[in-house]
Amino acid sequence: MRAVVQLVSSASVSVEDTMKSTIRNGLVVLLAIAHDDTENDALYLVDKVINLRIFPDETGKMNLSVRDVNGEIMVVSQFTLWGDCRKGRRPSYSRAAQPEAAQVLYNLFISRMQQYVGVLTGEFQAAMQVNLCNEGPVTILLDSEKLF
């Protein structure tokens, strides 16, 4: 499972020009699920995301988590994070999970995260427009296989 985590002052997601979700002061998590991911991968990333100390404290040092600042999280499914561009010019998505399996882990990820913070989402398997104001900019890459 992979995630791109961005610290934001605001973010929104729309589907077919209709606003679906909006947050202020929090994180946007672009989430991709691989065909061999398990519940343990989802739980690992939930723990990482909610406890990442990337918000500035009173001295400006990145020392606080989204929970510490009472921030929100917007989770957006994005299978393209599994795009493999090492060969040719067209990405291969062979590592990405099939939609039915991916949605189960996507929903688990969200429900577990909701136990700790407010979570809003995009729409699974929809074409979305994501707008965000990345602060810092702070962008963190996470991988449940600890490849980076």
Side-chain angles (χ1 to χ4, degrees):
M1 194 171 282
R2 287 187 171 168
V4 173
V5 180
Q6 295 182 294
L7 190 148
V8 299
S9 56
S10 64
S12 65
V13 63
S14 300
V15 177
E16 296 180 9
D17 296 322
T18 300
M19 182 72 66
K20 172 105 173 108
S21 300
T22 184
I23 66 168
R24 297 222 175 268
N25 189 43
L27 301 173
V28 170
V29 177
L30 305 175
L31 185 68
I33 297 149
H35 62 81
D36 55 352
D37 282 337
T38 67
E39 182 175 325
N40 287 337
D41 294 291
L43 299 178
Y44 171 81
L45 281 187
V46 166
D47 181 65
K48 279 292 190 187
V49 169
I50 64 170
N51 292 303
L52 272 177
R53 293 171 32 190
I54 58 175
F55 287 84
D57 63 15
E58 63 280 349
T59 67
K61 182 177 180 181
M62 290 182 9
N63 201 29
L64 302 174
S65 72
V66 68
R67 295 167 70 186
D68 295 329
V69 300
N70 295 316
E72 295 178 295
I73 297 177
M74 179 179 292
V75 179
V76 177
S77 63
Q78 188 170 350
F79 79 94
T80 60
L81 293 177
W82 281 111
D84 184 347
C85 300
R86 291 177 289 181
K87 291 183 181 178
R89 297 192 175 152
R90 184 175 178 194
S92 167
Y93 300 104
S94 62
R95 287 272 334 256
Q98 292 298 311
E100 302 79 25
Q103 190 162 18
V104 170
L105 289 176
Y106 172 80
N107 290 339
L108 173 68
F109 180 86
I110 292 165
S111 67
R112 288 297 176 94
M113 192 166 285
Q114 287 173 328
Q115 295 174 2
Y116 305 99
V117 295
V119 178
L120 295 151
T121 67
E123 185 174 315
F124 189 83
Q125 222 178 348
M128 296 172 271
Q129 299 78 48
V130 179
N131 293 296
L132 58 93
C133 184
N134 185 240
E135 289 295 317
V138 176
T139 302
I140 305 293
L141 304 176
L142 298 174
D143 184 286
S144 62
E145 295 176 12
K146 302 174 187 166
L147 297 175
F148 43 81

